[in-house]
Amino acid sequence: MFVRSGFVIAWLAMVFGAIRITIGLFVASIGDAAERAAAAAYRLGSRSSGEAIDQGIMVFVFGVALGLLAEIAKAVKQKQP
């Protein structure tokens, strides 16, 4: 039960982290600085697109780490009699 929920949470974290990174890169590509700042505040809820990209990377890495821990838990669970 907990292993399966670990996999689900890991996948969700990786997906949402990737989405935040993608939107952050999109906002970073906006040419005008005033439009970029407004888009970062409106679309990302961050002060800058770089901050949103950093947060997205942290969420994605958290998802990868949780996925690895879930894989380890699954292997340990299968070895128990």
Side-chain angles (χ1 to χ4, degrees):
M1 174 78 174
F2 290 112
V3 175
R4 187 175 306 148
S5 63
F7 281 120
V8 170
I9 293 170
W11 274 105
L12 288 174
M14 289 191 304
V15 167
F16 287 127
I19 289 171
R20 187 148 177 94
I21 292 167
T22 304
I23 295 173
L25 290 173
F26 173 73
V27 169
S29 69
I30 295 174
D32 185 33
E35 288 180 24
R36 188 178 327 119
Y42 177 71
R43 289 192 169 89
L44 299 171
S46 300
R47 290 181 298 209
S48 68
S49 58
E51 183 179 294
I53 293 169
D54 290 345
Q55 291 170 351
I57 290 171
M58 286 190 292
V59 170
F60 188 84
V61 169
F62 168 76
V64 170
L66 186 61
L68 288 172
L69 289 174
E71 284 287 342
I72 292 170
K74 180 180 173 184
V76 168
K77 184 179 174 183
Q78 287 176 350
K79 284 194 174 201
Q80 291 179 350

